[in-house]
Amino acid sequence: ELALYFPVVRTALERAAQALHGRLPRPLGSYLFPPPAFTEEERRDHKAALTDTRIAQPALGAADLAALALLRSLGVDAELLAGHSYGEYVALGAAGVFSESGLLAVSAERGRLLAEPPDGVASAMAAIGAPAAAVAELLAELKGVTLANHNSPEQCVISGSSEAIDAAVASLSARQLVVKKIAVSAAFHSPLMAYAQEPLTQAVHAAGVAAPQRPVFSNLDAAPYPPQAAGI
């Protein structure tokens, strides 16, 4: 809706679509703005197409860049930056580490890599309304599940194979915990993603990085990224 009312948003999305041309199965706009759905099945199909990791990663990048463009056009900017999970890439882009086209290229490659595990095993994530320490104790009884995110003092996220996550959801729900599977198609922030590390590193090198123009705080250790491009 913002794209309809703010030309700066529309322009940012158009730039993103051009940068992603040839990297996605079809134009970005067809995922962000699909034709009207007249049946529940069509609505599900549209949602599934957009939340597919191959599309969701660059689509998130495009939407975040559009929001950033809108904020800056209104004179709003940040002195410090951070991003949650994939959003950390956008935070680096906002700090000048990645160009817009470089960020979107890395995003598309990241989505492709994470959606195509070499062993073909389906994986998943689930959010739990409980402290991470308590969940960690319960996970000791469950195989193949990783404590992936500490989102807040009262919420964390687990990752693992789809089979392991389904078993964990059933077990934790039986203990009266609030558990909900997340609409993603991979076990982010877990050892199951290790295969993507080297090719993703190559993609970052290919995109090129510059020294950050302002501090960016990392999800991993809550510390700022190093000021030198090589350290990133």
Side-chain angles (χ1 to χ4, degrees):
E1 293 181 358
L2 288 174
L4 295 175
Y5 299 106
F6 295 97
V8 66
V9 172
R10 185 166 59 249
T11 299
L13 291 176
E14 288 172 349
R15 286 200 309 269
Q18 292 172 0
L20 290 167
H21 179 71
R23 295 183 180 274
L24 305 181
R26 61 177 196 259
L28 175 66
S30 68
Y31 298 101
L32 296 179
F33 309 107
F38 295 101
T39 67
E40 187 58 35
E41 181 180 8
E42 288 179 335
R43 279 188 284 272
R44 286 196 302 269
D45 288 346
H46 290 166
K47 182 178 180 179
L50 182 59
T51 56
D52 183 306
T53 302
R54 299 171 184 82
I55 308 304
Q57 301 264 312
L60 279 170
D64 286 351
L65 286 172
L68 179 64
L70 175 59
L71 287 170
R72 286 179 170 171
S73 75
L74 298 173
V76 179
D77 212 333
E79 295 180 1
L80 309 173
L81 295 157
H84 183 259
S85 190
Y86 163 77
E88 189 165 315
Y89 285 73
V90 182
L92 290 167
V97 172
F98 293 118
S99 65
E100 283 192 6
S101 59
L103 169 64
L104 292 166
V106 170
S107 302
E109 182 64 4
R110 187 175 190 263
R112 185 190 70 79
L113 287 168
L114 300 187
E116 299 175 4
D119 54 15
V121 175
S123 55
M125 303 180 77
I128 306 167
V135 173
E137 292 183 10
L138 298 174
L139 291 184
E141 305 171 13
L142 302 170
K143 294 182 178 179
V145 180
T146 298
L147 185 57
N149 292 27
H150 296 194
N151 282 351
S152 78
E154 296 298 327
Q155 189 199 72
C156 59
V157 175
I158 56 174
S159 290
S161 68
S162 293
E163 182 179 359
I165 291 297
D166 286 341
V169 168
S171 176
L172 296 172
S173 296
R175 298 171 187 263
Q176 307 305 311
L177 292 176
V178 177
V179 187
K180 182 179 181 180
K181 289 187 73 174
I182 301 174
V184 296
S185 56
F188 301 133
H189 310 291
S190 81
L192 292 178
M193 299 287 96
Y195 70 88
Q197 183 174 2
E198 181 56 34
L200 183 57
T201 300
Q202 294 175 7
V204 170
H205 281 307
V209 297
Q213 298 170 5
R214 61 202 72 182
V216 181
F217 287 81
S218 169
N219 284 190
L220 183 62
D221 55 14
Y225 268 79
Q228 302 83 12
I232 295 173

